Amino acid sequence: MLILEKYTFGVGDRFAHQAAAQLRAFVQLADAGVDVTPVWNKSNREHTFVGSKPQSVYDAGKAAVEKLGWGKPWHVDADHIQLKTVDPFLPCSDFFTIDVADSIGKPAPADEVTAFVDRHPELVGTLKLAGLSAPLEVTRADVQKVAEQYLLAVKEAGEIYRYIAAAKGADNVAAEVSMDETDTPQTPPELLIILAALSDEEIPVQTIAPKFTGRFNKGVDYVGDLDQFKREFNDDVAVLAHAVKAYGLPETLKLSVHSGSDKFSLYPIIRECLQRTGAGLHLKTAGTTWLEEIIGLAEAGGDGLALAKEIYAYALEHVEEFCAPYASVIDIDQSKLPSAEEVNGWSGPRMASAIRHIQDNEHFNAHMRQLLHVSFKVAAKHGARYTDMLTANEEIVGNEVTKNIYDRHLRPLFIGS
């Protein structure tokens, strides 16, 4: 397998214009004494929405690496791929986020479930794993129930992994298994059972993305019980450490947090756990960079501000259409969305402050930010007009991108504010 670094951080770049600006944040972090590996990610759905191809992500990343003289590792993530969508990603990706959420809950053959339960008597009983907040109490019926729910998904993950490994060679593949896009969070006992199944399937999984309790809405902070998240995250780290020893999974196995961007209140919890345990981490930030482009264009004024306002007005007119694919990960109160007429009267800094994720700013509007977050295909409709505007305002837009990733994400997560 391709061995992943201890800390990896996924960044999205919807229009393949900000890779260098993103990479500058990692350079700043390295200069501060912490090495985190950038992973450029873009899903098939996002490519479909904006009309791009997977190769564009690799090309943009490579150009940024060469421009900045980055001599450290970097990766390209085929994000949330399935067997039917993976082929275009094979030549240009080395990190594969295998998404089997659609198979979770579909029953596996009864004989396979029984065989799994019989094969793993060690999963039954009072499990006192090092680092847990409390022992795990697991019955045979619990193991069977989890196997019934997840075994088919794990087998699908195995099929996808073997297809990728056969095409690229296993030494060129780093595998993540994603189970976060489901309705129900996985508990630490469920995660342990899933990891046992992944081991049986001989998938050298290096990151696993469970669904945590709470809301991970697009582009805004975590909504939920921070104490509960702390227990879950710490217990999941302990479960992974145990699974590595018990099931021969890769020593580089680590949690992946599909944050949906900007889960600032979770960063101190995650940082403390990483520092205390020495665990690794992969974290994805989704579409934050696209929002920083809009903020930069607004700050630029003139034609940039006019286009930013035009994009918002169009998104407002098509709010139901743009929100539908993301309904489970946004909470927008349409009564709190300013009218296009009101926004047209704003200055550039006023519009930027409504979108920029600084929660104590009196003008910050989480509802407007979420709407724009899921409306990136409006910019795609503008084609060259939008991307030419990014080029014309490269310095101011790029500064917003770098500052956002370093000041609001990398530094708080790995160093502290």
Side-chain angles (χ1 to χ4, degrees):
M1 65 183 180
L2 175 67
I3 297 175
L4 287 178
E5 297 71 33
K6 185 174 184 178
Y7 301 133
T8 49
F9 191 91
V11 285
D13 187 10
R14 297 287 193 259
F15 300 98
H17 272 62
Q18 307 306 328
Q22 293 170 327
L23 187 57
R24 287 191 188 97
F26 293 87
V27 173
Q28 290 180 15
L29 191 68
D31 290 344
V34 181
D35 285 335
V36 174
T37 298
V39 181
W40 280 284
N41 56 259
K42 194 171 183 180
S43 68
N44 182 72
R45 177 169 65 179
E46 290 158 6
H47 282 296
T48 301
F49 282 169
V50 304
S52 57
K53 301 294 183 183
Q55 185 67 38
S56 65
V57 180
Y58 174 87
D59 292 344
K62 185 173 185 290
V65 166
E66 292 174 350
K67 180 178 181 179
L68 272 64
W70 178 257
K72 300 175 186 290
W74 57 285
H75 302 290
V76 175
D77 179 7
D79 192 17
H80 286 288
I81 52 89
Q82 299 172 328
L83 198 59
K84 62 186 178 183
T85 58
V86 70
D87 280 352
F89 293 88
L90 291 173
C92 49
S93 301
D94 58 357
F95 186 120
F96 290 82
T97 298
I98 299 171
D99 188 338
V100 291
D102 289 347
S103 294
I104 294 175
K106 294 181 180 178
D111 60 335
E112 294 184 12
V113 171
T114 300
F116 174 82
V117 177
D118 289 342
R119 194 162 57 244
H120 290 286
E122 80 285 352
L123 290 170
V124 178
T126 300
L127 309 182
K128 298 179 180 179
L129 280 53
L132 284 178
S133 58
L136 305 180
E137 300 291 345
V138 184
T139 66
R140 181 181 172 90
D142 292 333
V143 178
Q144 178 167 334
K145 181 179 178 181
V146 174
E148 289 171 346
Q149 188 173 8
Y150 289 98
L151 203 57
L152 199 66
V154 168
K155 287 188 172 296
E156 181 185 350
E159 181 183 5
I160 297 170
Y161 168 75
R162 286 185 288 274
Y163 181 85
I164 296 167
K168 291 186 67 71
D171 289 346
N172 300 311
V173 176
E176 169 176 301
V177 174
S178 167
M179 296 191 172
D180 66 302
E181 295 199 350
T182 60
D183 295 331
T184 306
Q186 291 95 31
T187 64
E190 288 174 334
L191 182 59
L192 179 59
I193 296 165
I194 291 167
L195 289 169
L198 289 168
S199 175
D200 285 356
E201 198 64 22
E202 299 183 348
I203 305 170
V205 58
Q206 292 189 73
T207 80
I208 185 165
K211 181 178 177 63
F212 296 98
T213 301
R215 296 281 294 179
F216 283 73
N217 290 335
K218 293 289 185 181
V220 292
D221 207 349
Y222 175 76
V223 179
D225 185 331
L226 291 177
D227 288 336
Q228 183 176 9
F229 175 83
K230 182 177 182 178
R231 286 192 302 272
E232 285 185 13
F233 188 85
N234 281 273
D235 283 352
D236 284 353
V237 166
V239 164
L240 264 63
H242 174 79
V244 167
K245 297 175 182 177
Y247 300 115
L249 290 166
E251 292 184 0
T252 47
L253 176 63
K254 57 188 177 181
L255 280 178
S256 179
V257 180
H258 291 190
S259 71
S261 299
D262 294 17
K263 302 304 174 281
F264 301 145
S265 61
L266 302 184
Y267 288 175
I269 294 171
I270 295 172
R271 186 180 69 251
E272 186 280 329
C273 179
L274 301 185
Q275 291 175 345
R276 176 173 45 81
T277 64
L281 175 74
H282 181 62
L283 186 138
K284 292 189 183 182
T285 58
T288 294
T289 288
W290 141 249
L291 291 173
E292 297 306 318
E293 289 178 340
I294 294 296
I295 290 167
L297 291 179
E299 291 279 17
D303 291 342
L305 174 59
L307 180 56
K309 290 178 177 179
E310 187 178 328
I311 287 171
Y312 174 70
Y314 190 93
L316 195 61
E317 290 178 357
H318 297 81
V319 60
E320 301 294 344
E321 172 192 345
F322 294 148
C323 290
Y326 298 94
S328 64
V329 286
I330 53 175
D331 282 317
I332 296 176
D333 182 345
Q334 293 189 35
S335 69
K336 295 183 179 179
L337 293 170
S339 68
E341 291 74 19
E342 179 183 349
V343 172
N344 280 337
W346 288 354
S347 68
R350 172 66 180 85
M351 184 173 186
S353 66
I355 307 166
R356 187 182 290 117
H357 198 179
I358 298 178
Q359 297 177 50
D360 58 2
N361 186 302
E362 63 177 327
H363 297 307
F364 174 62
N365 187 319
H367 307 277
M368 184 178 183
R369 179 175 172 84
Q370 288 180 87
L371 174 59
L372 282 169
H373 194 293
V374 300
S375 300
F376 55 89
K377 59 183 174 181
V378 182
K381 290 178 182 292
H382 289 286
R385 181 186 170 202
Y386 179 74
T387 53
D388 287 351
M389 196 70 70
L390 294 180
T391 301
N393 297 281
E394 180 179 357
E395 183 175 354
I396 189 169
V397 172
N399 182 61
E400 294 292 339
V401 171
T402 303
K403 183 170 59 176
N404 171 61
I405 293 177
Y406 182 73
D407 290 349
R408 301 188 192 106
H409 295 274
L410 291 176
R411 184 175 178 85
L413 186 56
F414 294 103
I415 297 177
S417 54

